[in-house]
Coordinates of all heavy atoms in Angstrom, one line a residue:
M1 N 87.5 144.6 115.9 CA 88.6 143.8 115.8 C 89.2 144.0 114.4 O 88.5 144.0 113.4 CB 88.2 142.3 116.0 CG 89.2 141.3 116.1 SD 89.8 141.2 117.8 CE 91.1 140.0 117.6
H2 N 90.5 144.1 114.4 CA 91.2 144.3 113.1 C 91.1 143.0 112.3 O 91.1 141.9 112.8 CB 92.7 144.6 113.3 CG 92.9 145.9 114.0 ND1 92.7 147.1 113.4 CD2 93.4 146.1 115.3 CE1 93.0 148.1 114.3 NE2 93.4 147.5 115.4
D3 N 91.1 143.1 110.9 CA 91.2 142.0 110.1 C 92.5 141.3 110.1 O 92.6 140.1 110.0 CB 90.8 142.4 108.6 CG 89.4 142.8 108.4 OD1 88.5 142.3 109.2 OD2 89.1 143.6 107.5
H4 N 93.6 142.1 110.3 CA 94.9 141.6 110.4 C 95.6 142.3 111.6 O 95.3 143.4 111.9 CB 95.7 141.9 109.1 CG 95.3 141.2 107.9 ND1 94.2 141.6 107.1 CD2 95.7 140.0 107.4 CE1 94.0 140.7 106.2 NE2 94.9 139.8 106.3
C5 N 96.5 141.6 112.2 CA 97.3 142.2 113.3 C 98.1 143.3 112.8 O 98.8 143.2 111.8 CB 98.2 141.1 113.9 SG 99.2 141.7 115.2
P6 N 98.0 144.5 113.5 CA 98.8 145.6 113.0 C 100.3 145.4 113.2 O 101.1 146.1 112.5 CB 98.3 146.8 113.8 CG 97.5 146.3 114.9 CD 97.1 144.9 114.6
A7 N 100.7 144.6 114.1 CA 102.2 144.4 114.4 C 102.8 143.3 113.4 O 103.9 143.5 112.9 CB 102.4 143.9 115.8
C8 N 102.1 142.2 113.2 CA 102.7 141.2 112.4 C 102.0 140.8 111.1 O 102.5 140.1 110.3 CB 102.8 139.9 113.2 SG 101.2 139.1 113.7
G9 N 100.8 141.3 110.9 CA 100.0 141.0 109.7 C 99.2 139.7 109.7 O 98.6 139.4 108.7
Q10 N 99.2 139.0 110.8 CA 98.5 137.7 110.9 C 97.0 138.0 110.8 O 96.5 138.9 111.4 CB 98.8 137.1 112.2 CG 97.9 135.9 112.6 CD 98.1 134.7 111.7 OE1 99.2 134.4 111.4 NE2 97.0 134.0 111.4
R11 N 96.3 137.2 110.0 CA 94.8 137.3 109.9 C 94.2 136.9 111.3 O 94.7 136.0 111.9 CB 94.2 136.4 108.8 CG 94.4 136.9 107.5 CD 93.6 136.0 106.5 NE 92.2 136.1 106.8 CZ 91.4 135.0 106.6 NH1 91.8 133.9 106.2 NH2 90.1 135.1 106.9
T12 N 93.3 137.7 111.7 CA 92.7 137.4 113.0 C 91.5 136.5 113.0 O 91.2 135.8 113.9 CB 92.3 138.7 113.8 OG1 91.5 139.5 113.0 CG2 93.6 139.5 114.1
E13 N 90.8 136.5 111.9 CA 89.6 135.6 111.7 C 90.1 134.5 110.8 O 90.1 134.6 109.6 CB 88.4 136.3 111.2 CG 87.2 135.4 111.2 CD 85.9 136.2 111.1 OE1 85.9 137.4 111.1 OE2 84.9 135.5 111.0
L14 N 90.4 133.3 111.4 CA 91.0 132.2 110.6 C 90.0 131.5 109.7 O 90.3 131.0 108.7 CB 91.7 131.2 111.5 CG 92.8 131.8 112.4 CD1 93.4 130.7 113.3 CD2 93.8 132.5 111.6
E15 N 88.7 131.5 110.1 CA 87.6 131.0 109.4 C 86.3 131.6 109.8 O 86.2 132.2 110.8 CB 87.6 129.4 109.5 CG 87.3 129.0 111.0 CD 87.4 127.5 111.2 OE1 88.1 126.9 110.5 OE2 86.7 127.0 112.0
I16 N 85.3 131.4 109.0 CA 84.0 132.0 109.4 C 83.5 131.3 110.7 O 83.5 130.1 110.8 CB 83.0 131.8 108.2 CG1 83.5 132.5 107.0 CG2 81.6 132.2 108.7 CD1 82.6 132.3 105.8
G17 N 83.0 132.1 111.6 CA 82.6 131.6 112.9 C 83.7 131.3 113.9 O 83.4 130.6 114.9
F18 N 84.9 131.7 113.6 CA 86.0 131.3 114.4 C 85.8 131.8 115.8 O 86.2 131.2 116.8 CB 87.3 131.9 113.8 CG 88.5 131.7 114.6 CD1 89.1 130.5 114.8 CD2 89.1 132.8 115.3 CE1 90.2 130.3 115.5 CE2 90.2 132.6 116.1 CZ 90.8 131.4 116.2
W19 N 85.2 133.0 116.0 CA 85.2 133.6 117.3 C 84.1 133.1 118.2 O 83.9 133.5 119.4 CB 85.0 135.1 117.2 CG 86.2 135.8 116.6 CD1 86.2 136.4 115.4 CD2 87.5 135.8 117.1 NE1 87.5 136.8 115.1 CE2 88.3 136.5 116.1 CE3 88.2 135.3 118.2 CZ2 89.7 136.7 116.3 CZ3 89.5 135.6 118.4 CH2 90.2 136.2 117.4
Y20 N 83.3 132.1 117.8 CA 82.2 131.5 118.6 C 82.8 130.8 119.9 O 82.2 130.8 120.9 CB 81.3 130.6 117.9 CG 80.4 131.2 116.9 CD1 80.2 130.7 115.6 CD2 79.8 132.4 117.2 CE1 79.4 131.3 114.7 CE2 78.9 133.0 116.3 CZ 78.8 132.5 115.0 OH 77.9 133.1 114.1
G21 N 84.0 130.3 119.7 CA 84.6 129.6 120.9 C 85.0 130.6 122.0 O 85.3 130.1 123.1
T22 N 85.1 131.9 121.7 CA 85.5 132.8 122.7 C 84.4 132.9 123.8 O 84.7 133.4 124.9 CB 85.8 134.2 122.2 OG1 84.6 134.7 121.5 CG2 86.9 134.2 121.2
G23 N 83.2 132.5 123.6 CA 82.2 132.5 124.6 C 82.6 131.6 125.7 O 82.3 131.9 126.9
Y24 N 83.2 130.4 125.4 CA 83.6 129.5 126.5 C 84.8 130.1 127.3 O 84.8 130.0 128.5 CB 84.0 128.2 125.9 CG 82.9 127.5 125.2 CD1 82.8 127.4 123.8 CD2 81.8 126.9 125.9 CE1 81.8 126.8 123.1 CE2 80.8 126.3 125.2 CZ 80.8 126.3 123.9 OH 79.7 125.7 123.2
V25 N 85.7 130.7 126.6 CA 86.8 131.4 127.3 C 86.4 132.5 128.1 O 86.8 132.7 129.3 CB 87.9 131.8 126.3 CG1 89.1 132.5 127.0 CG2 88.4 130.7 125.4
S26 N 85.4 133.3 127.6 CA 84.9 134.4 128.4 C 84.1 133.9 129.6 O 84.2 134.5 130.7 CB 83.9 135.2 127.5 OG 83.4 136.3 128.2
Y27 N 83.4 132.8 129.5 CA 82.7 132.2 130.6 C 83.7 131.8 131.7 O 83.5 132.1 132.9 CB 81.9 131.0 130.2 CG 81.3 130.2 131.3 CD1 80.1 130.8 131.9 CD2 81.8 129.0 131.8 CE1 79.5 130.1 133.0 CE2 81.2 128.3 132.8 CZ 80.1 128.9 133.4 OH 79.5 128.2 134.4
V28 N 84.8 131.1 131.3 CA 85.8 130.7 132.3 C 86.5 131.9 133.0 O 86.7 131.9 134.2 CB 86.9 129.8 131.6 CG1 88.1 129.6 132.5 CG2 86.3 128.5 131.2
L29 N 86.8 133.0 132.2 CA 87.4 134.2 132.8 C 86.4 134.8 133.7 O 86.8 135.3 134.8 CB 87.8 135.2 131.7 CG 89.0 134.7 130.8 CD1 89.2 135.7 129.7 CD2 90.2 134.6 131.6
S30 N 85.1 134.8 133.4 CA 84.1 135.4 134.3 C 83.9 134.6 135.6 O 83.8 135.2 136.7 CB 82.7 135.5 133.6 OG 82.8 136.3 132.4
V31 N 84.0 133.3 135.5 CA 83.9 132.5 136.7 C 85.1 132.7 137.6 O 85.0 132.9 138.8 CB 83.7 131.0 136.3 CG1 84.0 130.1 137.5 CG2 82.4 130.8 135.7
L32 N 86.3 132.8 137.0 CA 87.5 133.1 137.8 C 87.5 134.4 138.4 O 87.9 134.6 139.6 CB 88.8 132.9 136.9 CG 89.1 131.5 136.4 CD1 90.3 131.6 135.4 CD2 89.4 130.7 137.6
F33 N 87.0 135.4 137.7 CA 86.8 136.8 138.2 C 85.8 136.8 139.4 O 86.1 137.4 140.4 CB 86.3 137.7 137.1 CG 86.1 139.1 137.5 CD1 87.2 140.0 137.6 CD2 84.9 139.6 137.9 CE1 87.0 141.3 138.0 CE2 84.7 140.9 138.3 CZ 85.8 141.8 138.3
S34 N 84.7 136.0 139.2 CA 83.7 136.0 140.3 C 84.3 135.2 141.5 O 84.0 135.6 142.7 CB 82.5 135.2 139.8 OG 81.9 136.0 138.8
M35 N 85.1 134.2 141.3 CA 85.7 133.5 142.5 C 86.7 134.4 143.2 O 86.8 134.4 144.4 CB 86.4 132.2 142.0 CG 85.4 131.2 141.6 SD 86.1 129.7 140.8 CE 87.6 129.4 141.7
F36 N 87.4 135.2 142.4 CA 88.4 136.2 143.0 C 87.6 137.2 143.8 O 88.0 137.5 144.9 CB 89.2 136.8 141.9 CG 90.1 137.9 142.4 CD1 91.2 137.6 143.1 CD2 89.8 139.3 142.2 CE1 92.1 138.6 143.6 CE2 90.6 140.3 142.6 CZ 91.7 139.9 143.4
T37 N 86.5 137.8 143.3 CA 85.8 138.8 144.0 C 85.1 138.2 145.2 O 85.0 138.9 146.3 CB 84.7 139.5 143.1 OG1 83.8 138.6 142.6 CG2 85.4 140.3 142.0
L38 N 84.7 137.0 145.2 CA 84.1 136.3 146.3 C 85.1 136.1 147.4 O 84.8 136.4 148.6 CB 83.5 135.0 145.9 CG 82.9 134.2 147.1 CD1 81.7 134.9 147.7 CD2 82.5 132.8 146.6
A39 N 86.3 135.7 147.1 CA 87.3 135.5 148.1 C 87.7 136.9 148.7 O 87.9 137.0 149.9 CB 88.6 134.8 147.5
L40 N 87.9 137.9 147.8 CA 88.2 139.2 148.3 C 87.1 139.8 149.2 O 87.4 140.3 150.3 CB 88.4 140.1 147.1 CG 89.2 141.4 147.4 CD1 90.6 141.1 147.9 CD2 89.2 142.2 146.1
Y41 N 85.9 139.6 148.8 CA 84.7 140.1 149.7 C 84.7 139.3 151.0 O 84.4 139.9 152.0 CB 83.4 139.9 148.9 CG 82.2 140.5 149.5 CD1 81.9 141.8 149.2 CD2 81.4 139.8 150.3 CE1 80.8 142.4 149.7 CE2 80.3 140.4 150.9 CZ 80.0 141.7 150.6 OH 78.9 142.3 151.1
W42 N 84.9 138.0 150.9 CA 84.9 137.2 152.1 C 86.0 137.6 153.1 O 85.8 137.7 154.3 CB 85.1 135.7 151.8 CG 84.7 134.8 152.8 CD1 84.6 134.9 154.2 CD2 84.3 133.4 152.6 NE1 84.2 133.8 154.8 CE2 84.0 132.8 153.8 CE3 84.1 132.6 151.5 CZ2 83.6 131.5 154.0 CZ3 83.7 131.3 151.6 CH2 83.4 130.8 152.9
L43 N 87.2 137.9 152.6 CA 88.3 138.3 153.5 C 88.1 139.7 154.0 O 88.5 140.0 155.2 CB 89.6 138.2 152.7 CG 90.1 136.8 152.4 CD1 91.3 136.9 151.5 CD2 90.4 136.1 153.6
I44 N 87.6 140.6 153.2 CA 87.5 142.0 153.7 C 86.2 142.2 154.5 O 86.3 142.8 155.6 CB 87.5 143.0 152.5 CG1 88.9 142.9 151.8 CG2 87.2 144.4 152.9 CD1 89.0 143.7 150.5
I45 N 85.1 141.8 154.0 CA 83.8 142.1 154.7 C 83.3 140.9 155.5 O 82.8 141.0 156.5 CB 82.8 142.6 153.7 CG1 83.3 143.9 153.0 CG2 81.4 142.8 154.3 CD1 82.5 144.4 151.9
G46 N 83.4 139.7 154.9 CA 82.9 138.5 155.5 C 81.5 138.2 155.0 O 80.7 139.1 154.7
I47 N 81.3 136.9 154.9 CA 80.0 136.4 154.4 C 79.4 135.5 155.5 O 80.1 134.6 155.9 CB 80.1 135.7 153.1 CG1 80.5 136.7 152.0 CG2 78.8 135.0 152.7 CD1 80.7 136.0 150.6
T48 N 78.2 135.8 155.9 CA 77.5 134.9 156.9 C 76.1 134.7 156.3 O 75.6 135.4 155.4 CB 77.3 135.6 158.3 OG1 76.6 136.8 158.1 CG2 78.7 135.9 158.9
W49 N 75.6 133.6 156.8 CA 74.2 133.2 156.3 C 73.1 133.8 157.1 O 71.9 133.7 156.8 CB 74.1 131.7 156.3 CG 75.1 131.0 155.4 CD1 76.2 130.3 155.8 CD2 75.1 131.1 154.0 NE1 76.9 129.9 154.7 CE2 76.2 130.4 153.6 CE3 74.3 131.6 153.0 CZ2 76.6 130.2 152.2 CZ3 74.6 131.5 151.7 CH2 75.7 130.8 151.3
R50 N 73.5 134.5 158.2 CA 72.5 135.2 159.0 C 72.0 136.5 158.5 O 70.9 136.9 158.7 CB 73.0 135.4 160.4 CG 73.3 134.1 161.2 CD 73.8 134.4 162.6 NE 74.6 133.2 162.9 CZ 75.8 133.3 163.4 NH1 76.3 134.5 163.7 NH2 76.5 132.3 163.6
D51 N 72.8 137.2 157.7 CA 72.4 138.4 157.1 C 72.4 138.2 155.6 O 72.6 137.1 155.1 CB 73.3 139.6 157.5 CG 74.8 139.3 157.1 OD1 75.0 138.3 156.5 OD2 75.6 140.2 157.4
N52 N 72.2 139.3 154.8 CA 72.1 139.2 153.4 C 73.4 139.6 152.7 O 73.4 140.1 151.6 CB 70.9 140.1 152.9 CG 69.6 139.6 153.3 OD1 69.4 138.4 153.4 ND2 68.6 140.5 153.5
S53 N 74.5 139.3 153.3 CA 75.8 139.7 152.7 C 76.1 139.0 151.4 O 76.8 139.5 150.6 CB 76.9 139.5 153.7 OG 77.0 138.1 154.1
I54 N 75.6 137.8 151.2 CA 75.8 137.1 150.0 C 75.1 137.8 148.8 O 75.6 137.9 147.7 CB 75.4 135.6 150.0 CG1 75.8 134.8 148.8 CG2 73.9 135.5 150.2 CD1 77.3 134.5 148.8
F55 N 74.0 138.4 149.1 CA 73.2 139.1 148.1 C 73.9 140.5 147.8 O 73.9 140.9 146.6 CB 71.8 139.4 148.5 CG 71.0 138.1 148.6 CD1 70.6 137.7 149.9 CD2 70.8 137.3 147.5 CE1 69.9 136.5 150.0 CE2 70.1 136.1 147.6 CZ 69.6 135.7 148.9
H56 N 74.6 141.0 148.8 CA 75.4 142.3 148.5 C 76.5 141.9 147.6 O 76.9 142.7 146.7 CB 75.9 142.8 149.9 CG 74.8 143.3 150.7 ND1 74.4 144.6 150.8 CD2 74.0 142.7 151.6 CE1 73.4 144.7 151.6 NE2 73.1 143.6 152.2
W57 N 77.2 140.8 147.9 CA 78.3 140.4 147.0 C 77.8 140.1 145.6 O 78.4 140.5 144.6 CB 79.0 139.1 147.5 CG 79.9 138.6 146.5 CD1 81.1 139.1 146.1 CD2 79.7 137.5 145.6 NE1 81.7 138.3 145.1 CE2 80.8 137.3 144.8 CE3 78.6 136.6 145.5 CZ2 80.9 136.3 143.9 CZ3 78.7 135.6 144.5 CH2 79.8 135.4 143.7
L58 N 76.6 139.4 145.4 CA 76.1 139.1 144.1 C 75.8 140.4 143.3 O 76.1 140.5 142.1 CB 74.8 138.3 144.2 CG 75.0 136.8 144.5 CD1 73.6 136.2 144.8 CD2 75.6 136.2 143.3
I59 N 75.2 141.4 144.0 CA 75.0 142.7 143.3 C 76.3 143.4 142.9 O 76.4 143.9 141.8 CB 74.1 143.6 144.2 CG1 72.7 143.0 144.4 CG2 74.0 145.0 143.7 CD1 71.9 143.6 145.5
A60 N 77.2 143.4 143.9 CA 78.5 144.1 143.6 C 79.2 143.3 142.4 O 79.8 143.9 141.5 CB 79.4 144.1 144.8
N61 N 79.2 142.0 142.5 CA 79.9 141.2 141.4 C 79.2 141.4 140.1 O 79.9 141.5 139.1 CB 79.8 139.7 141.8 CG 80.7 138.9 140.9 OD1 81.9 139.2 140.7 ND2 80.1 137.9 140.4
T62 N 77.9 141.5 140.1 CA 77.2 141.7 138.8 C 77.6 143.0 138.2 O 77.8 143.1 137.0 CB 75.7 141.6 139.0 OG1 75.3 140.4 139.6 CG2 74.9 141.8 137.7
I63 N 77.6 144.1 139.0 CA 78.0 145.4 138.5 C 79.5 145.4 138.0 O 79.8 145.9 137.0 CB 77.8 146.4 139.6 CG1 76.3 146.6 139.9 CG2 78.5 147.8 139.3 CD1 76.0 147.4 141.1
L64 N 80.4 144.7 138.8 CA 81.8 144.7 138.4 C 81.9 143.9 137.1 O 82.7 144.2 136.2 CB 82.6 144.1 139.5 CG 82.9 145.0 140.7 CD1 83.6 144.2 141.8 CD2 83.7 146.1 140.3
L65 N 81.2 142.8 136.9 CA 81.3 142.0 135.7 C 80.7 142.8 134.5 O 81.3 142.7 133.4 CB 80.5 140.7 135.9 CG 81.2 139.5 136.4 CD1 80.3 138.3 136.6 CD2 82.4 139.1 135.5
A66 N 79.7 143.5 134.7 CA 79.1 144.3 133.6 C 80.1 145.4 133.2 O 80.2 145.6 132.0 CB 77.8 144.9 134.0
L67 N 80.8 146.0 134.1 CA 81.7 147.0 133.8 C 83.0 146.5 133.2 O 83.6 147.2 132.4 CB 82.1 147.8 135.1 CG 81.0 148.7 135.6 CD1 81.4 149.4 136.9 CD2 80.5 149.8 134.6
S68 N 83.4 145.3 133.5 CA 84.6 144.7 133.0 C 84.4 143.8 131.8 O 85.4 143.3 131.2 CB 85.3 143.9 134.1 OG 84.5 142.7 134.4
M69 N 83.2 143.7 131.3 CA 82.9 142.9 130.1 C 83.7 143.3 128.9 O 84.2 142.4 128.2 CB 81.4 142.9 129.8 CG 80.7 141.6 130.1 SD 81.5 140.1 129.7 CE 81.4 139.3 131.2
P70 N 83.8 144.6 128.5 CA 84.6 144.9 127.4 C 86.1 144.4 127.5 O 86.6 143.9 126.5 CB 84.6 146.4 127.3 CG 83.4 146.8 128.0 CD 83.2 145.8 129.1
V71 N 86.6 144.5 128.7 CA 88.0 144.0 128.9 C 88.0 142.5 128.8 O 88.9 141.9 128.1 CB 88.6 144.5 130.2 CG1 89.9 143.9 130.5 CG2 88.7 146.0 130.2
L72 N 87.1 141.8 129.4 CA 87.0 140.3 129.4 C 86.8 139.8 128.0 O 87.4 138.8 127.6 CB 85.9 139.8 130.4 CG 86.2 139.9 131.8 CD1 85.0 139.5 132.7 CD2 87.4 139.1 132.2
M73 N 86.0 140.5 127.2 CA 85.7 140.0 125.8 C 87.0 140.1 125.0 O 87.3 139.2 124.2 CB 84.6 140.8 125.2 CG 83.2 140.4 125.8 SD 81.8 141.1 124.9 CE 82.3 142.8 124.7
R74 N 87.7 141.2 125.1 CA 89.0 141.3 124.3 C 90.0 140.4 124.8 O 90.8 139.8 124.0 CB 89.4 142.8 124.4 CG 88.6 143.7 123.5 CD 89.0 145.2 123.8 NE 88.2 146.0 122.9 CZ 87.0 146.4 123.1 NH1 86.3 145.9 124.1 NH2 86.4 147.2 122.2
L75 N 90.1 140.2 126.1 CA 91.0 139.2 126.7 C 90.7 137.8 126.3 O 91.6 137.0 125.9 CB 91.0 139.3 128.2 CG 92.0 138.4 128.9 CD1 93.5 138.8 128.6 CD2 91.9 138.6 130.4
S76 N 89.4 137.5 126.2 CA 89.0 136.1 125.8 C 89.4 135.9 124.3 O 89.8 134.8 123.9 CB 87.6 135.9 126.0 OG 86.7 136.6 125.2
R77 N 89.2 136.9 123.5 CA 89.6 136.8 122.1 C 91.1 136.6 121.9 O 91.6 135.8 121.1 CB 89.2 138.0 121.3 CG 87.8 138.0 120.9 CD 87.4 139.2 120.1 NE 86.1 139.0 119.6 CZ 85.7 139.3 118.3 NH1 86.6 139.9 117.5 NH2 84.5 139.1 117.9
T78 N 91.9 137.3 122.7 CA 93.4 137.2 122.7 C 93.8 135.8 123.1 O 94.6 135.1 122.5 CB 94.0 138.2 123.6 OG1 93.6 139.5 123.2 CG2 95.5 138.1 123.6
V79 N 93.2 135.3 124.2 CA 93.5 133.9 124.7 C 93.1 132.9 123.7 O 93.9 132.0 123.4 CB 92.8 133.7 126.1 CG1 92.9 132.2 126.5 CG2 93.4 134.6 127.2
Y80 N 91.9 133.0 123.1 CA 91.4 132.0 122.2 C 92.3 132.0 120.9 O 92.6 130.9 120.4 CB 90.0 132.3 121.8 CG 89.3 131.3 121.0 CD1 89.0 130.0 121.6 CD2 89.0 131.5 119.7 CE1 88.3 129.1 120.9 CE2 88.3 130.5 119.0 CZ 88.0 129.3 119.6 OH 87.4 128.3 118.8
L81 N 92.7 133.2 120.4 CA 93.5 133.2 119.2 C 94.9 132.6 119.5 O 95.5 132.0 118.6 CB 93.7 134.7 118.8 CG 94.5 134.9 117.5 CD1 93.8 134.3 116.3 CD2 94.6 136.4 117.2
N82 N 95.4 132.8 120.7 CA 96.7 132.2 121.1 C 96.7 130.7 121.2 O 97.7 130.0 121.2 CB 97.3 132.8 122.4 CG 97.8 134.1 122.1 OD1 98.6 134.3 121.2 ND2 97.5 135.1 123.0
F83 N 95.5 130.1 121.3 CA 95.4 128.6 121.2 C 95.7 128.1 119.8 O 96.2 127.0 119.7 CB 94.0 128.1 121.6 CG 93.6 128.2 123.0 CD1 92.3 128.5 123.4 CD2 94.5 127.9 124.0 CE1 92.0 128.6 124.7 CE2 94.2 127.9 125.3 CZ 92.9 128.3 125.7
Y84 N 95.4 128.9 118.8 CA 95.5 128.4 117.4 C 96.7 129.1 116.7 O 97.2 128.5 115.7 CB 94.2 128.7 116.7 CG 93.1 127.9 117.2 CD1 92.2 128.5 118.1 CD2 92.9 126.6 116.9 CE1 91.2 127.8 118.6 CE2 91.9 125.9 117.4 CZ 91.0 126.4 118.2 OH 90.0 125.7 118.7
V85 N 97.2 130.2 117.1 CA 98.2 130.9 116.4 C 99.4 131.1 117.4 O 99.2 131.7 118.4 CB 97.8 132.3 115.8 CG1 98.9 133.0 115.2 CG2 96.6 132.1 114.9
G86 N 100.5 130.5 117.0 CA 101.7 130.7 117.9 C 102.5 131.9 117.6 O 102.4 132.5 116.5
Y87 N 103.3 132.3 118.5 CA 104.2 133.5 118.3 C 105.5 133.0 117.9 O 106.2 132.2 118.5 CB 104.3 134.3 119.6 CG 105.2 135.4 119.5 CD1 104.9 136.6 118.8 CD2 106.4 135.4 120.2 CE1 105.8 137.6 118.7 CE2 107.3 136.4 120.1 CZ 107.0 137.5 119.4 OH 107.9 138.6 119.3
D88 N 106.0 133.6 116.8 CA 107.3 133.3 116.3 C 108.1 134.7 116.2 O 107.8 135.5 115.4 CB 107.3 132.7 114.9 CG 108.6 132.3 114.4 OD1 109.6 132.3 115.1 OD2 108.7 131.9 113.2
P89 N 109.1 134.9 117.1 CA 109.8 136.1 117.1 C 110.6 136.4 115.8 O 110.9 137.5 115.5 CB 110.7 136.0 118.3 CG 110.8 134.6 118.6 CD 109.6 133.9 118.1
E90 N 110.9 135.4 115.1 CA 111.7 135.5 113.9 C 110.8 135.9 112.7 O 111.3 136.2 111.6 CB 112.5 134.3 113.6 CG 113.6 134.1 114.6 CD 114.3 132.8 114.4 OE1 114.2 132.2 113.4 OE2 115.1 132.4 115.3
A91 N 109.5 135.8 112.8 CA 108.6 136.1 111.8 C 108.5 137.6 111.4 O 107.9 137.9 110.4 CB 107.2 135.5 112.1
K92 N 109.0 138.4 112.3 CA 108.9 139.9 112.0 C 109.7 140.2 110.7 O 109.4 141.2 110.0 CB 109.4 140.7 113.1 CG 110.9 140.6 113.4 CD 111.3 141.4 114.6 CE 112.7 141.2 114.9 NZ 113.2 142.0 116.0
D93 N 110.7 139.4 110.4 CA 111.4 139.6 109.1 C 110.6 139.2 107.9 O 110.9 139.7 106.8 CB 112.7 138.8 109.1 CG 113.6 139.2 110.3 OD1 113.6 140.4 110.7 OD2 114.4 138.3 110.8
L94 N 109.6 138.4 108.1 CA 108.8 137.9 107.0 C 107.5 138.7 106.8 O 106.7 138.4 106.0 CB 108.4 136.5 107.2 CG 109.6 135.5 107.3 CD1 109.1 134.1 107.7 CD2 110.4 135.4 106.1
R95 N 107.4 139.8 107.6 CA 106.1 140.6 107.6 C 105.8 141.1 106.2 O 106.6 141.7 105.5 CB 106.2 141.7 108.6 CG 105.0 142.5 108.7 CD 105.0 143.6 109.7 NE 103.8 144.3 109.6 CZ 103.6 145.5 110.2 NH1 104.6 146.1 110.8 NH2 102.5 146.1 110.0
I96 N 104.5 141.0 105.9 CA 104.0 141.5 104.6 C 103.4 142.8 104.9 O 102.5 142.9 105.7 CB 103.0 140.5 104.0 CG1 103.7 139.2 103.7 CG2 102.5 141.1 102.7 CD1 102.7 138.1 103.3
N97 N 103.7 143.8 104.1 CA 103.1 145.1 104.3 C 101.7 145.1 103.7 O 101.5 144.8 102.6 CB 103.9 146.2 103.7 CG 105.2 146.4 104.4 OD1 105.3 146.3 105.6 ND2 106.3 146.8 103.6
L98 N 100.7 145.4 104.6 CA 99.3 145.4 104.1 C 98.8 146.8 103.8 O 99.1 147.8 104.4 CB 98.4 144.8 105.2 CG 98.8 143.3 105.5 CD1 98.0 142.8 106.7 CD2 98.6 142.5 104.3

């Protein structure tokens, strides 16, 4: 993670330990991703309690979550930073060269 945004110069770590909150955002994104894959699996393949299809989805979801973790972590940092830092389109004129 950059110390400052390359586009606008905004500091990305506002205080020590600022990024600890991204764990909660990452958790929510992971749950939403899992709900999406469950619905998709249910519509395409179907889930019944008579066979082990729920375990097949759990294995596939675990693999997909593990592969998408780098994207989810960066996305959670972006979402979390946007809670605290707003975007001002006129601030580009005030940019400090670092």
Side-chain angles (χ1 to χ4, degrees):
M1 189 86 184
H2 298 288
D3 291 334
H4 293 81
C5 175
C8 67
Q10 169 69 40
R11 281 188 64 216
T12 55
E13 188 162 355
L14 302 180
E15 61 186 31
I16 296 174
F18 175 72
W19 297 115
Y20 288 138
T22 61
Y24 298 107
V25 177
S26 179
Y27 175 75
V28 169
L29 292 175
S30 298
V31 168
L32 290 173
F33 181 80
S34 296
M35 288 172 41
F36 174 74
T37 59
L38 177 64
L40 197 63
Y41 190 87
W42 197 336
L43 289 173
I44 294 174
I45 297 173
I47 294 178
T48 62
W49 298 107
R50 292 183 212 131
D51 59 0
N52 291 330
S53 62
I54 190 76
F55 296 113
H56 295 264
W57 168 76
L58 281 172
I59 292 169
N61 188 54
T62 302
I63 292 169
L64 286 173
L65 271 175
L67 292 175
S68 66
M69 253 320 129
V71 174
L72 286 176
M73 288 188 313
R74 285 171 177 79
L75 183 62
S76 69
R77 282 183 168 221
T78 303
V79 169
Y80 190 71
L81 185 62
N82 283 314
F83 285 143
Y84 295 99
V85 178
Y87 174 71
D88 185 8
E90 296 176 10
K92 68 180 178 181
D93 300 329
L94 304 173
R95 182 177 176 195
I96 300 170
N97 292 327
L98 300 173

